[in-house]
Amino acid sequence: MQIDRCLCFHLAFVDVLKDAREKKLSVEDVELSLGCGGGCGLCRPYLRRCLRTGETSFDHIITDADEPG
């Protein structure tokens, strides 16, 4: 299973990362401007890792415990 997007807002992490880097957005800024992370919240740990490492596709489940805010 590949996890590569926010399901609530249908945003691919690759697109979120590009926008976040161009505009120097934090995780909180991404949630406010794009919505990603602000729906069900399941993508928040993936979003944090994406912004921290540049990874945009994940093959395992990441939880808040794995990527503390």
Side-chain angles (χ1 to χ4, degrees):
M1 168 174 63
Q2 286 300 114
I3 302 163
D4 66 353
R5 67 190 60 244
C6 167
L7 294 176
C8 293
F9 292 93
H10 310 288
L11 295 169
F13 293 135
V14 68
D15 296 328
V16 172
L17 179 63
K18 181 179 182 233
D19 197 49
R21 285 188 171 166
E22 285 174 359
K23 297 176 182 173
K24 298 184 183 350
L25 301 176
S26 67
V27 173
E28 293 78 16
D29 295 334
V30 167
E31 185 175 333
L32 290 172
S33 67
L34 301 175
C36 185
C40 73
L42 289 175
C43 69
R44 281 188 200 122
Y46 299 96
L47 179 59
R48 282 194 292 274
R49 180 149 323 159
C50 174
L51 296 183
R52 185 174 56 78
T53 68
E55 290 177 78
T56 58
S57 184
F58 307 89
D59 59 4
H60 60 282
I61 294 173
I62 299 173
T63 67
D64 283 331
D66 300 319
E67 264 320 294

